[in-house]
Amino acid sequence: DIQMTQSPSTLSASVGDRVTITCRASQNIYSWLAWYQQKPGKAPKLLIYKASILESGVPSRFSGSASGTEFTLTISSLQPDDFATYYCQQHYRYSTFGQGTKVEIK
Amino acid sequence: QVQLVQSGAEVKKPGASVKVSCKTSGYPFTSYAVNWVRQVPGLGLEWVGWISAYNGITHYAQKFQGRVTMTTDTPTSTAYMDLRSLTSDDTAVYYCARDRAMDTVSPDPLDGWGQGTLVTVSS
């Protein structure tokens, strides 16, 4: 199975901060990676797919990048609505999620 | 608009089975595969499996092989997940979610989700 290691598990930040979350795959998954945002009591929401393509309707402050087996989700200027938990998902071979990163208010 | 509406919460005893339904609308049912993802309360997301709504081909996470069966019913545009031999570790919210792309042969990013079904396993 492909393992996805996400870090950090928790991140404290303020409105306006630049935030970076990392996900590392246990083997090459090319660009078959997606990012999701989940708020308490709600289903996840797709933000980015193919490592860097923004899903329709997602604000441009969200971006994704890749370098080898390391993937990054960046929020350029954190907004109040962005405090949530974020997950990466590989779908190169079946599917695996990272453990999640909770972005909380500093 | 794309909608996935799941069946209601279930309480089961250890060793029992549960069948969760996911009724879809707003898109051509057989063109998009359905995934099942679960989340233990307070913890992360875990992929359970995938089913093609076109031909019924399934892919299950190894952890659930032999214990889960996913099916679809085209006339009602509904997907089902049947999980057997339940233990307390199976207590979780189970989500159905649609592949983003049409006509996939394996899991894809998930762009439409059900509201979740809480399955509680307790004696």
Side-chain angles (χ1 to χ4, degrees), chain A residues 1 93-94, chain B residues 47-48 59-68:
Chain A
D1 288 6
R93 177 164 172 77
Y94 298 156
Chain B
W47 181 75
V48 178
H59 298 303
Y60 301 138
Q62 186 142 8
K63 174 178 179 177
F64 300 99
Q65 289 273 4
R67 208 160 64 90
V68 69

Side-chain angles (χ1 to χ4, degrees), chain A residues 2 7 14 19 24 38-39 44 46 54 57 83 85 90 97 101:
Chain A
I2 297 175
S7 61
S14 302
V19 164
R24 177 171 279 120
Q38 186 181 32
K39 296 183 177 179
L46 178 64
L54 210 60
F83 292 98
T85 301
Q90 71 80 19
F97 289 92
T101 295

Side-chain angles (χ1 to χ4, degrees), chain A residues 1 32-34 36 38 41-46 48-50 55 87 89 91-92 94-99, chain B residues 35 37 39 43-47 59-63 65 95 100 106-111 113-116:
Chain A
D1 288 6
W32 300 115
L33 184 109
Y36 298 84
Q38 186 181 32
K42 300 292 187 183
K45 173 188 173 185
L46 178 64
I48 286 170
Y49 62 97
K50 276 191 187 168
E55 174 71 338
Y87 294 92
Q89 175 213 18
H91 60 99
Y92 172 67
Y94 298 156
S95 181
T96 317
F97 289 92
Q99 306 98 310
Chain B
N35 296 254
V37 176
Q39 186 169 37
L43 297 184
L45 303 170
E46 182 175 31
W47 181 75
H59 298 303
Y60 301 138
Q62 186 142 8
K63 174 178 179 177
Q65 289 273 4
Y95 291 102
R100 184 183 180 280
S106 64
D108 206 54
L110 308 173
D111 74 339
W113 293 70
Q115 81 276 21

Side-chain angles (χ1 to χ4, degrees), chain A:
Chain A
D1 288 6
I2 297 175
Q3 308 301 320
M4 303 301 295
T5 303
Q6 198 173 329
S7 61
S9 54
T10 306
L11 188 160
S12 298
S14 302
V15 172
D17 283 354
R18 182 182 180 87
V19 164
T20 299
I21 298 167
T22 299
C23 199
R24 177 171 279 120
S26 60
Q27 65 181 76
N28 193 352
I29 59 169
Y30 301 90
S31 294
W32 300 115
L33 184 109
W35 289 99
Y36 298 84
Q37 176 192 69
Q38 186 181 32
K39 296 183 177 179
K42 300 292 187 183
K45 173 188 173 185
L46 178 64
L47 298 176
I48 286 170
Y49 62 97
K50 276 191 187 168
S52 62
I53 301 176
L54 210 60
E55 174 71 338
S56 175
V58 173
S60 59
R61 62 181 179 273
F62 291 92
S63 63
S65 63
S67 177
T69 59
E70 187 166 294
F71 299 83
T72 300
L73 172 70
T74 299
I75 309 172
S76 60
S77 177
L78 198 65
Q79 298 301 301
D81 191 48
D82 301 338
F83 292 98
T85 301
Y86 294 84
Y87 294 92
C88 62
Q89 175 213 18
Q90 71 80 19
H91 60 99
Y92 172 67
R93 177 164 172 77
Y94 298 156
S95 181
T96 317
F97 289 92
Q99 306 98 310
T101 295
K102 183 177 181 180
V103 177
E104 59 181 27
I105 300 172
K106 192 172 187 179

Side-chain angles (χ1 to χ4, degrees), chain B residues 9-72:
Chain B
E10 302 263 13
V11 179
K12 297 292 182 181
K13 294 202 180 304
S17 299
V18 69
K19 191 168 187 174
V20 181
S21 68
C22 172
K23 184 167 176 59
T24 72
S25 60
Y27 69 92
F29 179 69
T30 57
S31 295
Y32 292 83
V34 173
N35 296 254
W36 290 88
V37 176
R38 77 177 189 180
Q39 186 169 37
V40 172
L43 297 184
L45 303 170
E46 182 175 31
W47 181 75
V48 178
W50 174 98
I51 181 167
S52 165
Y54 173 70
N55 56 20
I57 289 177
T58 54
H59 298 303
Y60 301 138
Q62 186 142 8
K63 174 178 179 177
F64 300 99
Q65 289 273 4
R67 208 160 64 90
V68 69
T69 301
M70 294 176 186
T71 56
T72 59

